[in-house]
Amino acid sequence: MPHPKSFTLVAGVLLAACGGGEESNDHAAHHPGATGGGEHAGHHDFSDVERFAALFDAPDRDEWQRPAEVVGLLELSEGQVVADLGAGTGYFEPHLAAAVGESGQVLALDVEEAMVAHMRNRFEEAGLHNVEARAVSPDDPGLEPGSVDRILIVDTWHHIEDRPAYARHLAAALRPGGFILVVDFTEESPHGPPESMRLSPHQVSTELTHGGLSASTVEETLPHQFVIRAAHP
Ligand SMILES: C[S@@+](CC[C@H](N)C(=O)[O-])C[C@H]1O[C@@H](n2cnc3c(N)ncnc32)[C@H](O)[C@@H]1O
């Protein structure tokens, strides 16, 4: 019997894109200015780092986020380059840094300057010398063509405005054999953006195919999120 969330899409399949938001059933806490009805993908104010750090680095997050499982799905090897798009407070970085080792590189990308400054301090304090925090523009990750082995995008894809166009930037940045993982909230999750803004796995896969990628659902045990893997066909 097929996995309930499983399907595969290849480049060329189209579906309308919509949605945007943030994690938690507490919209006010996670969506500054959220009204609950009219939100859309695009810029949300993540400048209050202290406030978001309390959510993104909450002590109970590991229980449902399962970072070791997520990073395991990336199948990283020593020496590889991995970009974490929308890295936030740097929750995943210690795991990614360990997976690529001293000879590898982690690029922690975020649109919010305050998050980037926070991450720089955090990585320096933790001695994570193979992690670089970089500010990026909302519509371009700024990655050199063919420069990264993996791209991880957790709870961030729904914030990107023109996702099909963005997928093309990501596809160009992948090295041969590279792939992208998008992790986002399921419709049923108690965490996540308002329901009307959530993206289905099918929608995310379809958007990624616009980058010329093949996308498929990944088998995992995350209780509140789905995972889509995309690579060049
Ligand atoms: C919900 S947080 C997720 C943080 C992190 N991935 C995690 O799981 O803890 C979303 C992050 O994406 C960033 N972001 C939003 N739009 C972005 C974009 N277009 N490019 C890069 N980062 C973006 C926000 O500033 C925020 O730090």
Side-chain angles (χ1 to χ4, degrees):
M1 191 160 141
H3 186 278
K5 296 189 284 187
S6 288
F7 56 87
T8 301
L9 289 172
V10 292
V13 180
L14 306 179
L15 190 79
C18 66
E22 200 33 78
E23 46 285 321
S24 172
N25 45 8
D26 178 358
H27 288 180
H30 291 262
H31 275 96
T35 59
E39 256 191 297
H40 52 80
H43 184 70
H44 292 271
D45 184 356
F46 283 99
S47 58
D48 189 346
V49 175
E50 210 175 308
R51 179 180 177 196
F52 285 105
L55 298 165
F56 301 163
D57 299 306
D60 67 343
R61 182 175 176 188
D62 282 5
E63 204 179 297
W64 58 266
Q65 184 57 80
R66 304 186 182 171
E69 177 174 348
V70 172
V71 173
L73 294 173
L74 285 168
E75 300 168 10
L76 287 163
S77 312
E78 187 94 13
Q80 287 191 317
V81 179
V82 56
D84 181 9
L85 180 69
T89 55
Y91 170 84
F92 276 99
E93 272 49 43
H95 301 275
L96 295 171
V100 298
E102 298 267 308
S103 61
Q105 191 185 19
V106 182
L107 303 172
L109 313 177
D110 205 284
V111 77
E112 178 54 64
E113 296 274 0
M115 286 292 187
V116 173
H118 171 82
M119 285 195 282
R120 282 192 184 126
N121 289 336
R122 182 176 181 176
F123 303 153
E124 197 177 319
E125 277 172 24
L128 295 179
H129 304 301
N130 57 349
V131 186
E132 180 190 340
R134 272 189 204 168
V136 293
S137 66
D139 57 359
D140 190 339
L143 296 166
E144 291 296 316
S147 63
V148 298
D149 297 291
R150 304 285 186 267
I151 303 173
L152 176 65
I153 309 173
V154 181
D155 305 342
T156 297
W157 188 244
H158 59 262
H159 286 294
I160 292 167
E161 203 134 355
D162 184 351
R163 293 185 291 273
Y166 204 95
R168 288 192 281 278
H169 288 299
L170 297 179
L174 286 176
R175 285 177 173 166
F179 66 85
I180 301 166
L181 283 190
V182 175
V183 180
D184 224 315
F185 292 105
T186 62
E187 277 177 32
E188 305 78 26
S189 170
H191 303 267
E195 254 174 58
S196 61
M197 292 180 258
R198 294 188 192 202
L199 304 173
S200 70
H202 185 268
Q203 195 171 344
V204 173
S205 292
T206 302
E207 290 161 358
L208 290 163
T209 66
H210 286 260
L213 301 165
S214 290
S216 58
T217 305
V218 175
E219 298 283 337
E220 30 71 21
T221 72
L222 305 181
H224 305 313
Q225 293 154 303
F226 60 85
V227 181
I228 302 296
R229 173 172 161 152
H232 286 284

